[in-house]
Amino acid sequence: MPKPVVPEEKRRRRRPTKSGTVLSERLIVETALRMLREHGSAGLTARRLGLALDADPSTLYRYFRGMDELTLAIGDALIGQALDGWEPTGEWRPDLRAVGLRIHTAYVAHPQAALLTTSRVTGRANELAADEAVLDILRKAGFPLPDTVRIYHAFIDQTLAFAALDAASLALPSDSLRADEDMWRSTYARLPRATHPRIAEAAPLLATRMVTSAYPTALEMLLESAQAQLPSGSQVPVRRSRSQEIGGAPSAQVGVPDPASAA
């Protein structure tokens, strides 16, 4: 039977580890994120995490009931990173766009952690804050409640699905990732028009677009669709930049949207 989780204020009273470190939930999550980045999910175990923290592995269970609960905390921490510093402007499309791009960027910055957590529901503070923010943006825009929930559902699932897809690419060994990217410039670019006319005519554009994330484009399409469904009198014309019209400027790395779009 797992030990009961000790409240945070009581944990801090415990003596430091041999190296002088005072454990906290935040430190454990940050260390787990580093281990995932360096060793992948297979390298994240209670024993290895304890070694990295210079603590007995059993100590971790004073903070988390098990590794699955730690996984949920990691996912919630990524959402917290996404929301850090964000403030709503009161304009629903820019606000929703910013939240989506921030969440996507936070996940693909930690590909291994994203693969573990994008499909999970944490029920923790940062996830709840993100959900509340998205629902509030839509309701204040004038969407009826059923439409708000429908758009929220599509928005969250689209964001996390693209984060998982792009993270999976970034988590590949570097040789495999380069080989996949080069496929668009080699095999696809050399297909004859006689047999593959549409691929042949699109090959130069495919070689540029397919090695970047499609999330900014998909997000803009979702926002455009939602805009068209606003009740009469609620719609406010939104001026878009040229880069937004084409889904954001391409990035040099798969899974990473144009950094300027996330600002």
Side-chain angles (χ1 to χ4, degrees):
M1 178 179 296
K3 297 179 181 179
V5 173
V6 179
E8 180 71 19
E9 63 273 10
K10 292 185 178 180
R11 302 171 200 161
R12 292 179 179 175
R13 297 195 187 106
R14 292 179 60 80
R15 66 176 185 271
T17 62
K18 294 178 182 179
S19 61
T21 301
V22 177
L23 292 182
S24 66
E25 181 174 311
R26 179 175 180 176
L27 177 61
I28 294 170
V29 169
E30 289 175 348
T31 304
L33 279 169
R34 175 174 57 81
M35 293 182 67
L36 284 168
R37 183 170 59 251
E38 295 175 354
H39 306 294
S41 58
L44 182 62
T45 64
R47 183 182 67 81
R48 290 181 177 178
L49 188 54
L51 288 173
L53 291 163
D54 194 26
D56 190 287
S58 64
T59 306
L60 301 176
Y61 295 99
R62 292 179 59 85
Y63 298 83
F64 302 100
R65 290 184 174 85
M67 294 301 289
D68 189 66
E69 189 173 51
L70 173 59
T71 297
L72 299 182
I74 291 170
D76 198 59
L78 295 181
I79 298 174
Q81 291 178 16
L83 294 180
D84 186 31
W86 175 79
E87 292 290 341
T89 67
E91 298 184 46
W92 77 269
R93 280 185 67 162
D95 284 346
L96 207 55
R97 181 185 299 113
V99 170
L101 291 172
R102 279 171 167 266
I103 292 174
H104 178 268
T105 299
Y107 274 105
V108 298
H110 299 276
Q112 298 286 358
L115 293 177
L116 279 180
T117 62
T118 48
S119 63
R120 304 301 303 276
V121 180
T122 75
R124 288 174 165 252
N126 292 319
E127 181 183 86
L128 295 175
D131 290 346
E132 179 70 15
V134 172
L135 292 168
D136 188 57
I137 289 169
L138 293 169
R139 287 295 278 158
K140 287 181 176 177
F143 289 99
L145 184 57
D147 288 345
T148 292
V149 173
R150 180 173 54 82
I151 295 168
Y152 155 83
H153 184 193
F155 171 81
I156 291 296
D157 279 11
Q158 181 193 69
T159 302
L160 295 178
F162 271 98
L165 175 66
D166 295 335
S169 294
L170 292 173
L172 288 171
S174 56
D175 289 346
S176 297
L177 179 58
R178 283 194 297 269
D180 283 359
E181 292 178 348
D182 187 61
M183 193 69 68
W184 297 103
R185 295 183 289 268
S186 56
T187 301
Y188 278 79
R190 295 172 182 171
L191 289 172
R193 289 181 178 271
T195 57
H196 300 83
R198 297 308 182 192
I199 293 178
E201 71 175 353
L205 295 175
L206 289 173
T208 300
R209 297 287 301 193
M210 298 305 292
V211 296
T212 67
S213 174
Y215 177 65
T217 301
L219 174 60
E220 204 60 39
M221 292 171 71
L222 184 148
L223 296 176
E224 193 74 39
S225 174
Q227 176 84 46
Q229 297 171 56
L230 263 177
S232 178
S234 298
Q235 286 192 352
V236 177
V238 177
R239 186 180 301 169
R240 294 187 299 158
S241 67
R242 175 59 180 165
S243 64
Q244 290 166 353
E245 289 175 358
I246 62 174
S251 169
Q253 191 176 27
V254 172
V256 181
D258 178 15
S261 299

